[in-house]
Amino acid sequence: MTINSVDMNLLKALDVLLTECSVTRAAGSLGLSVSAMSRTLSRLRKVTGDPLLVQAGRELVPTPYALSIRERVHDVRLTADELLQPAQKEVDPTTLERTFTIRANEGFIDLTASQLAAQLQQHAPRVCLRFVLKEDKDALPLREGSIDLEIGVADTQAPEIKTRSLFRDQFVAVCRSDHPLLQQPITAERYVGYPHVVASRRGHKHGPVDPALAKLGLQRHVAMVVPSFSNVMRTTRQSDLIGLVPSSLISSTEVGNVNALGLTSFPLPVNTPEITISALWHPRLHNCPQHRWLRETIRALCQQLWQDQSQSGADNGTGSKIATEVTDNRYCPQSLPPE
């Protein structure tokens, strides 16, 4: 069978069927009736010469052939959608109508969401930013196209993913303002003398401060593990626990008015490495003008925010730094200079 005899609309149907593994759900996704979707599946079986989806109890499961082509079908479909759009060299954000899905952690959303909303209202009123929480570091959503952009540490093991650094951050300690730790000079020995609270999505007890403490023969007691840094700040405000949070969270006017919260932040008594926060995206979107506009909008906002925070944090050593390029190519084999 040649390409001239194949209905290209079948490609989208095949992609949705292999993703949903359900005729009913695929029909709903494409706005078709179940009977129409069933007929489309029959056509696909004839075209491919494979059953594609077979009954297993009450469910449909993909055949080995379907599993082998599922990712390629999705990539080809997304590429075809992009190619068949009107050619655009420049984007007019005032008329741009699109929803972008961004995966980021709670801290980044807290820091940037209100400023992004103000920029959208003024410059791109028809754009919607859909934030989803970053539960893990799996690159599959970027590959599948279920998310358009990811913000975080660029330690993905997917070599094709494009990255661009946004800013560099570092950790600081936080505790309630009347904590006894603050009554005397803070040493590493006194720091580990109090219980600690750790933020970890996966429930890990250890953080970047622990190797540095171990070099001094010290170990802190982690009394609690919570899902997010905002949880850390709320917990330390009403307990004797010592927290560890990014300096950007403290510097932010959105969340980090620590004095008003009854908290005090201070530099760690040991040295810990900086972390680079980056934007990550799939290469198929690299030359997309709309996606480039999104990346540049977020980069410019980060530059503005963290430039202000670098200046305000210079006196106490807790300011974040702007990162103009990706510096760790072990995790970023296709890292990019500033666009």
Side-chain angles (χ1 to χ4, degrees), residues 121-142:
Q121 185 176 2
Q122 182 177 0
H123 301 295
R126 299 182 182 180
V127 168
C128 174
L129 298 184
R130 175 178 174 263
F131 281 103
V132 295
L133 289 179
K134 186 174 182 179
E135 302 294 340
D136 52 46
K137 300 178 181 180
D138 189 0
L140 186 61
L142 287 171

Side-chain angles (χ1 to χ4, degrees), residues 171-174 191 197-199 207-209 220 229 232 242-246 268:
F171 285 98
V172 297
V174 64
Y191 175 76
V197 56
V198 170
V209 72
R220 60 180 179 156
F229 292 118
V232 168
I242 307 296
L244 190 71
V245 299
L268 293 169

Side-chain angles (χ1 to χ4, degrees), residues 90-151:
E90 300 293 337
V91 171
D92 180 3
T94 62
T95 60
L96 177 59
E97 189 169 351
R98 178 168 172 175
T99 296
F100 295 100
T101 300
I102 303 172
R103 184 168 71 171
N105 63 33
E106 184 179 355
F108 183 84
I109 299 171
D110 288 340
L111 291 171
T112 62
S114 62
Q115 289 91 340
L116 284 170
Q119 289 197 17
L120 292 181
Q121 185 176 2
Q122 182 177 0
H123 301 295
R126 299 182 182 180
V127 168
C128 174
L129 298 184
R130 175 178 174 263
F131 281 103
V132 295
L133 289 179
K134 186 174 182 179
E135 302 294 340
D136 52 46
K137 300 178 181 180
D138 189 0
L140 186 61
L142 287 171
R143 287 171 166 169
E144 290 182 339
S146 57
I147 63 174
D148 299 296
L149 191 70
E150 179 168 337
I151 307 295

Side-chain angles (χ1 to χ4, degrees), residues 17-60:
L17 280 165
L18 295 186
T19 299
E20 299 290 352
C21 291
S22 165
V23 173
T24 301
R25 289 195 298 269
S29 178
L30 294 176
L32 300 175
S33 66
V34 174
S35 59
M37 195 73 251
S38 181
R39 291 194 296 270
T40 299
L41 176 58
S42 297
R43 293 179 61 194
L44 285 166
R45 286 168 169 166
K46 182 177 180 180
V47 169
T48 61
D50 187 87
L52 297 175
L53 297 173
V54 295
Q55 200 76 33
R58 295 184 177 182
E59 298 180 350
L60 292 176

Side-chain angles (χ1 to χ4, degrees), residues 73-85 282 284:
V73 167
H74 188 74
D75 287 343
V76 170
R77 178 228 167 157
L78 291 177
T79 301
D81 287 345
E82 182 179 341
L83 289 173
L84 296 176
Q85 295 295 323
H282 195 274
R284 69 172 172 275

Side-chain angles (χ1 to χ4, degrees), residues 37-301:
M37 195 73 251
S38 181
R39 291 194 296 270
T40 299
L41 176 58
S42 297
R43 293 179 61 194
L44 285 166
R45 286 168 169 166
K46 182 177 180 180
V47 169
T48 61
D50 187 87
L52 297 175
L53 297 173
V54 295
Q55 200 76 33
R58 295 184 177 182
E59 298 180 350
L60 292 176
V61 296
T63 65
Y65 173 73
L67 288 173
S68 71
I69 66 170
R70 181 160 58 185
E71 186 172 332
R72 284 185 293 154
V73 167
H74 188 74
D75 287 343
V76 170
R77 178 228 167 157
L78 291 177
T79 301
D81 287 345
E82 182 179 341
L83 289 173
L84 296 176
Q85 295 295 323
Q88 286 183 308
K89 294 184 179 180
E90 300 293 337
V91 171
D92 180 3
T94 62
T95 60
L96 177 59
E97 189 169 351
R98 178 168 172 175
T99 296
F100 295 100
T101 300
I102 303 172
R103 184 168 71 171
N105 63 33
E106 184 179 355
F108 183 84
I109 299 171
D110 288 340
L111 291 171
T112 62
S114 62
Q115 289 91 340
L116 284 170
Q119 289 197 17
L120 292 181
Q121 185 176 2
Q122 182 177 0
H123 301 295
R126 299 182 182 180
V127 168
C128 174
L129 298 184
R130 175 178 174 263
F131 281 103
V132 295
L133 289 179
K134 186 174 182 179
E135 302 294 340
D136 52 46
K137 300 178 181 180
D138 189 0
L140 186 61
L142 287 171
R143 287 171 166 169
E144 290 182 339
S146 57
I147 63 174
D148 299 296
L149 191 70
E150 179 168 337
I151 307 295
V153 178
D155 57 357
T156 175
Q157 298 302 308
E160 79 275 19
I161 298 300
K162 302 287 188 180
T163 68
R164 185 182 186 184
S165 57
L166 298 175
F167 63 94
R168 297 189 184 97
D169 212 344
Q170 61 189 46
F171 285 98
V172 297
V174 64
C175 65
R176 59 183 172 86
S177 297
D178 58 348
H179 198 288
L181 176 64
L182 304 176
Q183 305 307 313
Q184 300 179 35
I186 300 172
T187 63
E189 289 76 12
R190 295 191 66 238
Y191 175 76
V192 301
Y194 293 92
H196 290 249
V197 56
V198 170
S200 172
R201 296 186 306 267
R202 301 179 181 179
H204 295 166
K205 293 174 59 177
H206 298 289
V209 72
D210 294 297
L213 290 171
K215 291 180 180 179
L216 300 177
L218 299 173
Q219 182 178 356
R220 60 180 179 156
H221 168 59
V222 176
M224 186 174 294
V225 180
V226 294
S228 70
F229 292 118
S230 60
N231 295 146
V232 168
M233 297 179 70
R234 295 187 185 99
T235 302
T236 55
R237 183 174 57 182
Q238 299 177 340
S239 71
D240 282 338
L241 298 181
I242 307 296
L244 190 71
V245 299
S247 63
S248 57
L249 190 66
I250 295 297
S251 302
S252 166
T253 56
E254 289 295 311
V255 201
N257 191 350
V258 290
N259 291 332
L261 293 174
L263 296 171
T264 295
S265 65
F266 55 90
L268 293 169
V270 292
N271 293 324
T272 57
E274 290 184 336
I275 53 176
T276 299
I277 305 301
S278 301
L280 300 87
W281 65 94
H282 195 274
R284 69 172 172 275
L285 296 172
H286 181 60
N287 293 319
C288 172
Q290 298 175 351
H291 197 274
R292 188 184 298 116
W293 170 84
L294 172 67
R295 301 195 304 263
E296 182 57 30
T297 297
I298 291 178
R299 185 207 62 81
L301 176 61

